[in-house]
Amino acid sequence: DAPPKASIGNRNCKELFECAEKAKRRLQIFSGISPKALTSFMEQDEFNNLVNYVKHFVIFGKIPNDIQKINARVSNKMFISYTFHCIYEDLQGSKVNYKVDEWVDLMFAIFSNFDTVLPQTYISKFSEKPKDYDETVATIEKNLAETTKNRAG
């Protein structure tokens, strides 16, 4: 007999942790430098908190209670929103099948950038891709790869 699989509720832990890692990979861009502002999106400890908050949400299906809001240095809030939309899309078909409004609530709980707007505003805009999103992400990922390579070499 195979050992029983660990689970949280009726969900397999291995799949949940794989989903959390997918989310972390998508969030990695926030550990980089904004190509427009030439400044980091957030401090390293804020990035670590962001990853932990999203992982907690993915694994347990609940927004953490102990969130310290992050004010991401972005010129367009839609950059944050669309990144969360990408995570939502990445996890569709998995055991992590949360609704758009749950992802928007998480985003609003984490980022002070959204303090002056209503979540309903972003539910309808959640899948709206900023025109320069792909180019911006590619630049950030290239810079992160070069930084990692330089540290290793």
Side-chain angles (χ1 to χ4, degrees), residues 9-20:
N10 62 352
R11 302 177 308 166
N12 177 296
C13 284
K14 183 175 187 276
E15 184 176 6
L16 290 172
F17 285 103
E18 287 169 359
C19 289

Side-chain angles (χ1 to χ4, degrees), residues 56-73:
H56 181 279
F57 176 74
V58 167
I59 293 168
F60 297 106
K62 296 178 182 151
I63 296 173
N65 294 326
D66 60 344
I67 290 180
Q68 295 176 352
K69 287 231 179 192
I70 298 167
N71 184 17
R73 294 181 281 278

Side-chain angles (χ1 to χ4, degrees), residues 41-42 69-77 80 107-108 110-117 122:
F41 286 107
M42 58 190 68
K69 287 231 179 192
I70 298 167
N71 184 17
R73 294 181 281 278
V74 294
S75 57
N76 182 350
K77 291 184 265 230
I80 298 170
M107 188 176 71
F108 274 64
I110 294 172
F111 291 100
S112 62
N113 303 66
F114 298 99
D115 285 352
T116 60
V117 292
Y122 278 83

Side-chain angles (χ1 to χ4, degrees), residues 2 15 31-32 46-48 61 68 74 79 88 96 99 106 110 112 120 124 127 149:
E15 184 176 6
S31 70
E46 291 174 317
F47 173 73
N48 294 340
Q68 295 176 352
V74 294
F79 187 82
Y88 164 80
V96 179
K99 296 177 183 137
L106 174 66
I110 294 172
S112 62
Q120 294 81 358
S124 62
S127 62
K149 189 172 127 184

Side-chain angles (χ1 to χ4, degrees), residues 11 13 20 22 29 44 76 83 87 91 103 105 116 141 145:
R11 302 177 308 166
C13 284
K22 276 186 187 178
I29 56 174
Q44 185 62 44
N76 182 350
T83 301
I87 296 169
L91 303 184
W103 283 101
D105 287 346
T116 60
E141 288 175 342

